[in-house]
């Protein structure tokens, strides 16, 4: 009976920690939502995957300049550089395209 008594405080602590983890979950979701790999809206600037359609886009919001982007791919495929103009550029299937980012150079 002695070991049963000593386990009760541990069980209470485990339950309390479980609820604390649930309370922290929304904060973690906010961080993930603000990650550069997740689009904030359907027409976000930069990396802009369209989850429902399964298509990957890059949306260049800068003025009239053309810029170099780096396109990273899934499945061990090598990435590549692409020159894109203002507006939304279709990159391919989101199952192939992993991420795209501005390289900081015009083309």
């Amino acid at each position: 009976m002695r070991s049963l008594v000593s386990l009760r405080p541990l069980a209470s602590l485990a339950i309390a920690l479980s609820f604390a983890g649930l309370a922290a979950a929304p904060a973690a979701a906010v961080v993930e939502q603000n990650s550069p790999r997740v689009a904030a809206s359907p027409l976000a600037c930069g990396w802009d995957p369209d989850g429902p359609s399964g298509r990957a886009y890059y949306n260049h919001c800068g003025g009239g300049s053309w810029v170099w982007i780096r396109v990273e791919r899934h499945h061990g495929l090598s990435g590549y550089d692409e020159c894109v103009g203002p507006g939304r550029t279709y990159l391919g299937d989101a199952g192939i395209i992993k991420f795209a980012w501005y390289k900081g150079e015009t083309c």
Side-chain angles (χ1 to χ4, degrees):
M1 212 49 185
R2 183 176 179 195
S3 63
L4 182 62
V5 173
S6 64
L7 291 178
R8 285 184 183 158
L10 291 176
S12 297
L13 178 61
I15 291 169
L17 290 175
S18 295
F19 283 114
L22 289 175
V30 170
V31 171
E32 180 62 28
Q33 182 178 12
N34 293 330
S35 166
R37 294 187 180 257
V38 178
S41 71
L43 294 177
C45 294
W47 171 240
D48 189 21
D50 184 357
S53 73
R55 296 180 180 141
Y57 295 91
Y58 186 87
N59 191 23
H60 174 44
C61 296
S65 64
W66 286 64
V67 297
W68 284 108
I69 64 169
R70 179 69 181 174
V71 179
E72 302 294 342
R73 300 189 295 173
H74 292 288
H75 313 296
L77 298 171
S78 61
Y80 59 91
D81 295 341
E82 184 170 336
C83 182
V84 298
R88 201 172 193 211
T89 301
Y90 175 69
L91 300 175
D93 184 85
I96 301 294
I97 306 299
K98 183 177 185 179
F99 185 60
W101 50 274
Y102 169 58
K103 292 185 61 175
E105 304 168 4
T106 58
C107 51

